[in-house]
Structure formats: C-alpha cells, structure tokens
Amino acid sequence: MAATKKKLMRAMAGEVQAVPPVWLMRQAGRYLPEYKATRARAGDFLTLCYTPELAAEVTLQPIRRYGFDGAILFADILLVPQALGADLWFVAGEGPRLSTITSQGDFDALRGVEDIHETLSPVYETLGLVKPELPSDVTLIGFAGAPWTVATYMIAGRGTKDQGPAHALKHENPAIFDALIDRITAATVEYLSAQIDAGAEVVKLFDSWAGSLKGADFHRYALEPAKRIISELKARHPGTPVIAFPREAGENYVGFARATGADCVALDNSVSAEWAAARVQVDGCVQGNLDPRHMVTGGQAMIDETRRIMRAFSDGPHIFNLGHGITPDADPDNVSRMLEAIRG
Ligand code: CP3
C-alpha cells in the first residue's frame, strides 16, 4: 500500500516533520460566525448534531476558513449516553443535562450496546457526507468520550467540577459503577468501529476528566478501558490510528501510549512541552499543547508560545493543537496568526 501523503497520518506513523500538521479541538464552534449561523438554522445543538447536512457543513467550515490538516466530525461525546437510553438536553448558557444513573434500577433501564446505532446512524451519515468534500490532504477524525468521562456525566446528570457524584458511586456501589463503565466501553467500541466504517481515518478518545482519577483508579478506569477499546478497534481495523487524550493525567501521561496501544497521546497545557518531549514523545507521536487562552489574547505572546512548543517537539512526531478546546470568546484572526507562525 502506498504511504499516505496526509500530514496528520504521517505524524501518527512516527514521521518527524519540520512543519507539524495542525488542527484544533472544538475547531467547529461558537467563535466562528459561520458556525453560529448554522447553529441558529438548526435551532438547537442536538438537532445540529443529528442533522447530517448541517453537521457536515459545520465540520467543513473550519477547513474552508483555515485549511487545517484534520477535520473533526461534528457531534458530541454525550450522544452515546443518549443512544444507551439516557435523556439528554442542553440548557442554554449552562450546558448538558442528563437523566442520572445512581441505582441498579437506573442501570437496568439502559439499552443494550446493540441498540446504539438506531440513535447514532445520523453521525455515520455525517461522516459519509464530509469525506468526499475534504481536500485530499485533510484527515477525517472521528471521536468518542472515554468511559470514565462519559460515566461522570451519566451519573451526575451534568458537568461537575470535581466529578464528585461519579467518585461517590465508584466508592459506594462499585458493582453498578463497574457495570456502567463496561457498558460504555462496549458501546464505544461499536460506535468508533461504525465511524471508521463510515469514513473516519483516525479516532480520538476524549477523557476530559481523567485527571481526577488517582493511583490505582487511573489505571483501572482511564488506562484499562482505553486499552480495551484500542485493542478491540485494532482487531477490527488494524490500520486505523487512535489518539488518546487522558486530560490532566500529569505523570500518568508517561507510558500511556505503550500501555494502551494508542498511536498518539494528546497533551493538555498543564504539562510543559519540554517535559512531555522528554517523557512522553519518546514513545511516539504527541498532540498539543498550546493554552487555549492564547486564542483569545493573541499578540506576540501567542506567537512566541506557538514557536516554543513547535521547537520543544521538533525532534519527534508531533501534531500541533491546543491543550483543550478553543473557547467561544476566541478571536478567529488569532487562529490565522497562529497558523502563520506554524507554517511560516
Ligand atoms: O471538536 C470539535 O469541533 C468537534 C465537536 C465536539 C463538540 N464536543 C461539539 C460541541 C467535540 C469533540 C466535543 C467533545 C466534548 N463534549 C467533550 C470532550 C472534550 C472537552 O471539551 O473536554 C465534552 C466534555 C463534551 C460535553 C459537552 N458538550 C459540554 C460540557 C458542552 C457544554 C459546554 C459548552 O461548550 O457549551 C457541550 C456542548 C458542545 N459540544 C458545543 C459544541 C460546539 C457548544 C454547544 C452550542 O453550540 O451551543
């Protein structure tokens, strides 16, 4: 098979590139006027996620505007809980709300993994619409939430600062907690596998709250589920790379790729690029890790920091990205200036 020309795929295969591929977490989002226009047409966020023509349109918007090397599917990690039978809605200005899982009865009312495609099939359709529209050098990225992060929302029914309700259930009712993690893990394998069948060339696992798992809990609920998902995906789709993002894992970033089989580890901006180059990039491709605040504040500090990160990771495979999602108050022109600093 001929080697791919796509920069993002080459980085994940271990190639060191003078100009790294670049894309941004949440690159389709409210900082873009064209996103806000399509979002208004959809009416609400979930309608946008489940209307393939509109979801494909917002997936493509940042590619047209900036020419990123990766296009990330427009969807949300909370579609999986909904596909498993949770109620899901978004409260304007606040965020997601879900029915909660706190008892055996709540767990027993969930749907089986085999039922998820009924809800999620529009997402696969979105990928099918995006794929033929992408420039030939742009990589299509699918994604899902990692089991722990998804469980934190399913247990609390909303986003929480310290993931307290999920930690409490883990402690007080480990049987239900473990069963929930297993159900999400199995659903995530099915979901990502279907995304790959529909055209995703790489998939990313977002474990946004991995940082609140410490010691043995990190191993059991962040590392082990990622390892299981990746090994099952690799068995079905041997050539499809996986990016893992155990956000705020700190020291637990070290060895994570080796232990889970991930082809790339995404780094948040709480670790320095110099530290990560020495301790994480030694095992392979890394992604990251500019502080998203720079997309708001811009200026010479943003340029300097962009160049510093590129330099720190220049001896190994690297995908340039932010350390977390770009925020609604970001200035779209700062993204252009950052790209100019990367690509010269
Ligand atoms: O990156 C992309 O551009 C692709 C689309 C994407 C969205 N959410 C769209 C979205 C991706 C990859 C996600 C992942 C996601 N969703 C995560 C993991 C990554 C992270 O940020 O840590 C999490 C935790 C969620 C759950 C979620 N979705 C929350 C907490 C919220 C509300 C907060 C907010 O930013 O409003 C969402 C809503 C959401 N998901 C929006 C977008 C563009 C904003 C909704 C809107 O347009 O009204």
Side-chain angles (χ1 to χ4, degrees):
M1 198 167 67
T4 176
K5 289 219 292 267
K6 300 190 182 195
K7 285 177 71 74
L8 204 87
M9 300 300 278
R10 280 157 49 198
M12 285 176 296
E15 189 179 318
V16 183
Q17 300 174 69
V19 175
V22 51
W23 68 280
L24 302 184
M25 284 186 262
R26 291 278 175 102
Q27 63 190 20
R30 287 162 293 182
Y31 73 108
L32 290 179
E34 58 269 36
Y35 171 84
K36 282 191 274 196
T38 310
R39 170 83 170 67
R41 254 175 78 200
D44 68 32
F45 176 66
L46 287 174
T47 304
L48 180 54
C49 291
Y50 287 122
T51 309
E53 293 73 20
L54 298 181
E57 165 60 23
V58 294
T59 301
L60 290 163
Q61 284 168 349
I63 308 306
R64 290 191 201 113
R65 183 188 270 254
Y66 298 117
F68 289 125
D69 296 289
I72 184 160
L73 164 71
F74 191 83
D76 197 85
I77 66 163
L78 300 178
L79 305 187
V80 165
Q82 191 176 36
L84 286 171
D87 294 330
L88 171 68
W89 67 103
F90 281 80
V91 178
E94 291 188 34
R97 295 291 182 272
L98 302 91
S99 47
T100 59
I101 309 279
T102 55
S103 67
Q104 187 70 49
D106 296 334
F107 179 78
D108 292 342
L110 290 176
R111 304 170 75 187
V113 167
E114 61 287 353
D115 295 331
I116 63 169
H117 304 303
E118 203 180 308
T119 304
L120 297 170
S121 60
V123 174
Y124 315 143
E125 256 181 77
T126 300
L127 288 162
L129 292 178
V130 170
K131 193 73 175 278
E133 298 297 321
L134 284 178
S136 62
D137 51 354
V138 178
T139 299
L140 184 52
I141 306 167
F143 75 92
W148 160 249
T149 288
V150 172
T152 66
Y153 288 95
M154 293 183 80
I155 293 164
R158 59 192 298 163
T160 48
K161 268 203 167 57
D162 56 359
Q163 297 76 58
H167 284 289
L169 187 71
K170 166 161 62 66
H171 184 71
E172 286 153 22
N173 203 331
I176 295 179
F177 183 82
D178 285 5
L180 181 60
I181 292 285
D182 281 351
R183 179 73 57 90
I184 300 166
T185 301
T188 303
V189 171
E190 290 305 316
Y191 182 43
L192 290 177
S193 185
Q195 289 186 28
I196 295 166
D197 287 335
E201 297 164 283
V202 43
V203 293
K204 179 169 174 184
L205 208 46
F206 284 86
D207 210 348
S208 304
W209 302 118
S212 80
L213 292 168
K214 304 297 178 194
D217 273 355
F218 182 90
H219 194 274
R220 184 158 177 190
Y221 297 116
L223 195 150
E224 283 296 331
K227 181 180 174 182
R228 187 174 142 202
I229 290 165
I230 293 168
S231 74
E232 291 187 25
L233 285 175
K234 295 278 180 189
R236 296 190 203 180
H237 312 273
T240 304
V242 180
I243 304 172
F245 183 35
R247 191 170 75 91
E248 294 190 355
E251 286 287 335
N252 285 319
Y253 277 126
V254 179
F256 195 82
R258 242 178 305 145
T260 60
D263 301 88
C264 176
V265 173
L267 302 159
D268 70 86
N269 48 282
S270 72
V271 294
S272 81
E274 291 75 13
W275 175 87
R279 305 293 308 280
V280 187
Q281 197 187 28
V282 289
D283 288 335
C285 188
V286 292
Q287 177 181 281
N289 69 341
L290 182 68
D291 187 334
R293 289 313 294 166
H294 286 292
M295 299 295 98
V296 182
T297 53
Q300 192 58 39
M302 174 188 75
I303 306 292
D304 292 347
E305 194 56 10
T306 297
R307 293 199 175 127
R308 191 183 64 80
I309 288 167
M310 271 178 73
R311 219 170 23 246
F313 290 128
S314 62
D315 289 340
H318 176 218
I319 298 168
F320 197 96
N321 204 311
L322 305 178
H324 201 194
I326 188 167
T327 51
D329 55 347
D331 178 349
D333 291 338
N334 283 335
V335 177
S336 307
R337 292 181 196 113
M338 179 202 66
L339 283 169
E340 178 64 20
I342 295 168
R343 293 171 171 170

